[in-house]
Amino acid sequence: IFRETLSRRGVRVITGLGKYFRQIDKNGNGFLSQAALKEALKVFHLEIPEGDFESLWLILDDSKSDKVDYGEFTHAIFGEMNEYRKTFVRKAYMKLDFNKTGSVPLVDVRKCYCAK
């Protein structure tokens, strides 16, 4: 039900949630507590019944660490990328990793990307 609600609300809610999560992530570790997730859903008018929230939390916190990685949250909502998108991401990564080291330092990203 939650995934359907999000998909009806669209990309703007997801990007808004992403911005909100980054704002409340004071230590910058990319993790959300149960209380932070619940508050974020309330702010974006995505409140769900307590029982459903508990089920959602159990799915998201599969490591039982009492925190959820934002990347895992979006993956749980959207699922796997389709093959076209995966191919596009691989091509972009190969272009960024021009030294073929298997990792891309931020300085290399800055050489290839301009946010303007």
Side-chain angles (χ1 to χ4, degrees):
I1 294 173
F2 183 71
R3 185 181 283 186
E4 292 168 11
T5 302
L6 274 178
S7 66
R8 279 194 311 268
R9 301 279 301 277
V11 174
R12 294 181 86 180
V13 171
I14 295 298
T15 55
L17 272 172
K19 280 183 183 177
Y20 184 80
F21 288 153
R22 284 187 293 280
Q23 288 172 354
I24 63 172
D25 183 15
K26 299 299 181 201
N27 59 5
N29 65 4
F31 289 99
L32 302 168
S33 68
Q34 190 171 4
L37 177 60
K38 193 177 284 190
E39 182 62 25
L41 296 179
K42 183 186 280 187
V43 167
F44 283 84
H45 308 289
L46 295 167
E47 295 175 81
I48 57 177
E50 187 61 34
D52 291 343
F53 181 83
E54 293 298 326
S55 298
L56 173 66
W57 184 259
L58 288 173
I59 292 167
L60 294 173
D61 184 26
D62 60 350
S63 64
K64 308 294 181 246
S65 61
D66 283 334
K67 57 187 175 187
V68 171
D69 177 276
Y70 179 67
E72 291 173 357
F73 171 79
T74 55
H75 183 265
I77 300 305
F78 290 117
E80 285 289 324
M81 285 191 281
N82 62 40
E83 284 306 313
Y84 173 78
R85 196 162 177 211
K86 284 181 186 178
T87 301
F88 186 78
V89 169
R90 283 187 201 106
K91 286 179 182 178
Y93 185 84
M94 288 170 34
K95 190 166 193 138
L96 289 171
D97 186 22
F98 49 86
N99 291 327
K100 308 295 183 236
T101 62
S103 65
V104 180
L106 192 54
V107 69
D108 289 349
V109 173
R110 286 186 181 130
K111 290 177 188 174
C112 297
Y113 180 77
C114 176
K116 292 179 184 179

